[in-house]
């Protein structure tokens, strides 16, 4: 009997569980370590002056997430995430290796925080079960293997800590939750979900063990509200707006004809969230135009299921708040995290993305584990539950491992995306750019043409078609394509760089300066303008020294 007791205690040791969770959160994503900068990583990191220039907290606090000209970004404000990128950039010499290692470590840390917070609230069993499933879930691959997804991971870490500490008995300790909430918001806007969760817990009285005076609880919520206000003020100061910029390509709902279209579409996407949480077999890096389009009719099984879920989830929270407070807490966390990005209240820059499900999935997993907890108490059904859990964990870990290889290169990522999301113009565009980077201009031209067939109004696609045509020794056609791109969007940085480089290559230095002037008048980045001006002057001076002709268009 003593041996059995010791064995049980050994397996139940928090230290052992933490080590096991760290391994589970790390091993499925190991293939991502050797990955490149892919997709949005180039904009948020490699081409972001707030990351690559001299480290300055003031500069980071005064910059948008994507850096550069705010006319050309999504209006996201995430200074904490940018700061971690800047630190990785310096420590790792700008190479992607350290970024990927950091992403995996942050995910492992998040899993450990989940275990610690849930264990403290509801015991070892629920904490360990939720953390194990969350650690390996395949829908999280984009957050771990895709560097931009780090924002959700950091926001979840600090948000969980804020939520936990907000319920502490000592007022001074509980008030520190405001600082943690601010850090969560500085990582990503989704941190607001934890403020909503704290308020909802108090309104529904989900924590009967919380015997603090009402005044103390109101004081803590007021402090957290102040943290939200500080974030909003700094956001407006840095990027000049509260709402994010939404484009028709990123979110086709921007041109939805009726509010009901948003309701039907949002309901359909809610069904997809549940499907991916239960069975994340088919994954894609992009779901933008025209992969997901506005739904104009409610007579679709996914829409009907989603409408039912929008009704069932809040009703369940109200009805079972006393009988099943843990399940209700999970549902509330899901609703608080997912509702702001559901496109029902506000339109978001991306109509749907797997990286957006990092925090919402935690709420669903918590609710599911808590709902199944009574089954664990019945020894005759415990074995079945263990088998189901093992199958789910092994299946997701395997899927995460395989999916992580897709995120190693842009070619692999968007080859898989065009198979899963064949009508995504952005996926074909990125596959075309990947082909160009591998010196396959004919192939790149084919993919870029495919992208334009789906969504013609893409200045960057026209510009890179010009790059492909120039590589194919068709400079006149290249100029036409690039000229079209800068007239469509004069402030487009890459469009300006491409056409100026084309002029420089063929000796049209005056035209290069004129184009650079147009970019400057459109509000272009100062650093880009300075570098291109220097390049024009240096190459023109060298051409004159070597007696090369200076051409005029």
């Amino acid at each position: 009997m003593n041996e059995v007791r010791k064995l049980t205690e050994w397996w139940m040791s928090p230290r052992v569980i933490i080590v096991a969770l760290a391994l589970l959160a790390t091993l499925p994503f190991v293939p991502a370590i050797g990955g490149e900068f892919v997709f949005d990583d180039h904009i948020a990191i490699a081409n972001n002056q707030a990351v690559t220039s001299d480290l300055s907290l003031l500069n980071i606090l005064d910059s948008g997430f994507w850096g550069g000209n705010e006319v050309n970004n999504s209006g996201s404000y995430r200074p904490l995430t940018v700061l971690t990128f800047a630190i990785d950039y310096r420590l790792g010499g700008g190479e992607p290796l350290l970024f990927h290692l950091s992403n995996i470590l942050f995910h492992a840390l998040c899993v450990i925080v989940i275990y610690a917070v849930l264990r403290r609230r509801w015991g070892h069993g629920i904490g360990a079960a939720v953390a194990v499933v969350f650690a390996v879930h395949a829908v999280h691959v984009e957050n771990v293997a895709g560097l931009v997804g780090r924002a959700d991971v950091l926001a979840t870490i600090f948000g969980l800590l804020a939520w936990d500490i907000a319920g502490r008995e000592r007022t001074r300790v509980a008030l520190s939750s405001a600082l943690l909430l601010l850090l969560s918001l500085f990582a990503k806007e989704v941190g607001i979900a934890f403020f909503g969760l704290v308020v909802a817990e108090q309104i529904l009285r989900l924590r009967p063990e919380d015997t603090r005076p009402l005044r103390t609880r109101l004081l803590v919520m007021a402090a957290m509200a102040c943290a939200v206000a500080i974030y909003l003020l700094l956001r407006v100061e840095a990027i000049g707006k509260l709402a994010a910029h939404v484009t028709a390509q990123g979110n086709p709902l921007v041109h939805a004809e009726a509010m009901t279209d948003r309701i039907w579409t949002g309901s359909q996407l809610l069904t997809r969230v549940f499907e991916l949480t239960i069975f994340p077999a088919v994954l894609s890096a992009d779901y933008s135009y025209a992969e997901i389009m506005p739904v104009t009719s409610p007579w679709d099984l996914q829409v009907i299921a989603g409408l039912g879920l929008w009704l069932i989830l809040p009703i369940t929270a109200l009805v079972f708040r006393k009988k099943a407070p843990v399940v209700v807490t999970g549902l509330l966390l899901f609703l608080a995290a997912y509702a702001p990005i559901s496109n029902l209240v506000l339109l978001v820059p991306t109509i749907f993305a797997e990286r957006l499900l990092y925090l919402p999935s935690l709420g669903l997993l918590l609710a599911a584990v808590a709902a199944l907890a009574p089954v664990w108490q019945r020894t005759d059904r415990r074995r079945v539950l263990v088998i189901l859990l093992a199958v789910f964990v092994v299946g997701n870990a395997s899927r995460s491992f395989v999916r992580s290889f897709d995120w190693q290169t842009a070619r692999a990522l968007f080859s898989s995306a065009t198979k899963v999301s064949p009508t995504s113009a952005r996926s074909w565009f990125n596959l075309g750019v990947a082909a160009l980077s591998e010196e396959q201009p004919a192939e790149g031209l084919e993919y870029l043409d495919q992208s334009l067939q789906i969504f013609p109004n893409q200045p960057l696609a026209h510009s890179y078609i010009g790059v492909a045509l120039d590589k194919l020794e068709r400079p006149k056609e290249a100029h036409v394509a690039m000229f079209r791109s800068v007239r469509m969007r004069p402030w487009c940085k890459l469009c300006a760089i491409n056409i100026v480089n084309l002029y420089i290559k063929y000796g049209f230095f005056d035209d290069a300066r004129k184009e650079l002037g147009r970019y400057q008048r459109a509000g272009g980045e100062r650093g880009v303008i300075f570098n291109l001006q220097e390049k024009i002057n240096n190459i023109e001076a060298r051409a004159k020294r070597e007696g090369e002709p200076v051409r005029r268009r």
Side-chain angles (χ1 to χ4, degrees):
M1 292 294 293
N2 290 334
E3 292 181 0
V4 173
R5 188 177 296 110
K6 289 180 180 178
L7 181 62
T8 303
E9 291 175 356
W10 180 79
W11 280 108
M12 299 289 282
S13 168
R15 292 182 180 179
V16 174
I17 294 297
I18 287 173
V19 172
L21 289 174
L23 291 174
L24 281 172
T26 301
L27 295 179
F29 307 100
V30 166
I33 293 175
E36 305 171 351
F37 290 128
V38 296
F39 204 6
D40 291 335
D41 298 343
H42 293 286
I43 304 173
I45 300 172
N47 298 325
N48 188 344
Q49 291 186 350
V51 173
T52 60
S53 60
D54 293 338
L55 185 60
S56 168
L57 290 178
L58 290 177
N59 185 35
I60 290 173
L61 282 171
D62 198 38
S63 300
F65 182 58
W66 305 104
N69 183 356
E70 294 305 328
V71 174
N72 198 30
N73 73 22
S74 70
S76 298
Y77 182 62
R78 304 162 189 171
L80 178 60
T81 305
V82 174
L83 176 61
T84 65
F85 287 154
I87 293 172
D88 281 349
Y89 186 85
R90 278 147 191 80
L91 295 179
E95 296 298 319
L97 176 63
L98 185 58
F99 288 91
H100 285 292
L101 284 172
S102 296
N103 259 36
I104 293 175
L105 291 176
F106 281 130
H107 175 61
L109 177 60
C110 185
V111 170
I112 292 170
V113 169
I114 289 170
Y115 168 67
V117 170
L118 299 187
R119 176 176 178 268
R120 182 180 177 278
R121 290 234 176 175
W122 297 299
H124 166 85
I126 288 180
V130 174
V132 164
V133 177
F134 188 88
V136 301
H137 205 291
V139 82
H140 301 153
V141 173
E142 183 168 354
N143 296 95
V144 184
L147 300 178
V148 170
R150 179 186 300 185
D152 297 86
V153 181
L154 292 173
T156 301
I157 292 172
F158 288 104
L160 282 168
L161 294 174
W163 171 51
D164 181 43
I165 290 177
R168 299 293 177 91
E169 291 186 6
R170 295 182 60 184
T171 304
R172 290 183 179 179
V173 175
L175 287 174
S176 65
S177 62
L179 175 59
L180 291 166
L181 178 63
L182 183 60
L183 292 174
S184 179
L185 290 166
F186 277 171
K188 191 174 180 180
E189 302 84 349
V190 73
I192 192 67
F194 291 99
F195 177 56
L197 182 59
V198 169
V199 173
E201 277 187 326
Q202 294 299 324
I203 293 174
L204 298 178
R205 300 298 294 152
L206 292 178
R207 300 190 65 195
E209 73 277 8
D210 187 357
T211 58
R212 296 175 299 172
L214 177 61
R215 179 180 177 181
T216 300
R217 287 180 271 131
L218 290 175
L219 183 63
V220 172
M221 288 188 287
M224 298 181 82
C226 288
V228 175
I230 291 171
Y231 167 78
L232 294 176
L233 288 172
L234 290 173
R235 176 188 176 92
V236 172
E237 177 65 25
I239 64 177
K241 53 189 173 183
L242 285 175
H245 179 60
V246 183
T247 65
Q249 183 175 6
N251 190 344
L253 283 171
V254 73
H255 293 318
E257 295 182 359
M259 181 61 192
T260 53
D261 294 350
R262 289 167 60 172
I263 296 174
W264 312 145
T265 308
S267 300
Q268 183 189 68
L269 293 178
L270 179 62
T271 302
R272 182 174 294 200
V273 170
F274 274 74
E275 290 174 349
L276 286 176
T277 304
I278 297 169
F279 191 65
V282 181
L283 302 170
S284 175
D286 190 79
Y287 295 91
S288 62
Y289 192 98
E291 185 60 29
I292 296 177
M293 295 297 290
V295 179
T296 58
S297 170
W299 307 118
D300 176 90
L301 287 178
Q302 285 189 318
V303 174
I304 294 171
L307 288 171
L309 288 170
W310 282 124
L311 292 174
I312 291 170
L313 294 178
I315 291 174
T316 301
L318 288 172
V319 173
F320 292 95
R321 65 187 185 278
K322 293 182 178 180
K323 293 182 179 180
V326 187
V327 175
V328 171
T329 301
L331 295 180
L332 289 175
L333 177 58
F334 169 74
L335 289 172
Y338 185 70
I341 60 171
S342 65
N343 290 294
L344 294 182
V345 181
L346 296 172
L347 289 180
V348 293
T350 302
I351 190 169
F352 188 80
E354 289 157 16
R355 66 180 179 275
L356 303 181
L357 305 184
Y358 192 82
L359 179 55
S361 69
L362 175 58
L364 290 182
L365 294 175
L366 173 59
V369 168
L372 292 171
V375 180
W376 181 261
Q377 305 302 323
R378 300 184 58 175
T379 55
D380 58 327
R381 297 185 180 181
R382 186 176 296 179
R383 181 176 297 179
V384 175
L385 192 59
V386 170
I387 292 173
L388 290 175
L389 179 63
V391 169
F392 192 83
V393 170
V394 172
N396 273 274
S398 301
R399 183 69 183 101
S400 294
F401 186 81
V402 173
R403 176 63 173 160
S404 293
F405 282 101
D406 289 341
W407 282 85
Q408 287 188 337
T409 65
R411 166 77 78 161
L413 181 62
F414 291 106
S415 291
S416 68
T418 52
K419 294 175 183 176
V420 176
S421 306
T423 57
S424 166
R426 186 174 291 164
S427 292
W428 286 108
F429 166 78
N430 283 293
L431 185 57
V433 174
L436 288 178
S437 68
E438 297 175 359
E439 299 301 326
Q440 300 291 332
E443 189 178 355
L445 184 60
E446 178 185 349
Y447 297 145
L448 291 166
D449 280 335
Q450 178 67 27
S451 178
L452 284 178
Q453 288 179 25
I454 298 171
F455 190 73
N457 187 27
Q458 293 185 77
L460 264 180
H462 286 287
S463 184
Y464 276 100
I465 281 177
V467 173
L469 290 169
D470 184 50
K471 288 179 180 291
L472 293 170
E473 299 183 355
R474 296 157 62 182
K476 291 185 178 180
E477 295 172 75
H479 176 253
V480 170
M482 290 186 186
F483 190 82
R484 182 182 295 116
S485 74
V486 293
R487 294 305 176 269
M488 292 174 69
R489 186 175 297 170
W491 59 86
C492 174
K493 178 172 68 175
L494 292 177
C495 299
I497 291 173
N498 286 340
I499 194 169
V500 169
N501 283 332
L502 184 75
Y503 285 139
I504 293 173
K505 178 180 177 180
Y506 293 101
F508 294 98
F509 301 111
D510 288 342
D511 292 305
R513 290 191 178 91
K514 290 178 182 178
E515 199 58 59
L516 192 57
R518 291 191 184 96
Y519 175 64
Q520 184 175 15
R521 289 191 295 275
E525 290 185 26
R526 293 180 181 179
V528 173
I529 295 167
F530 176 81
N531 291 335
L532 287 176
Q533 187 63 60
E534 288 290 301
K535 185 175 182 179
I536 294 170
N537 293 338
N538 292 337
I539 295 179
E540 183 180 29
R542 186 180 65 189
K544 289 179 177 179
R545 287 196 305 270
E546 296 175 357
E548 295 180 5
V550 176
R551 300 177 177 86
R552 299 187 183 278
R553 187 168 53 180

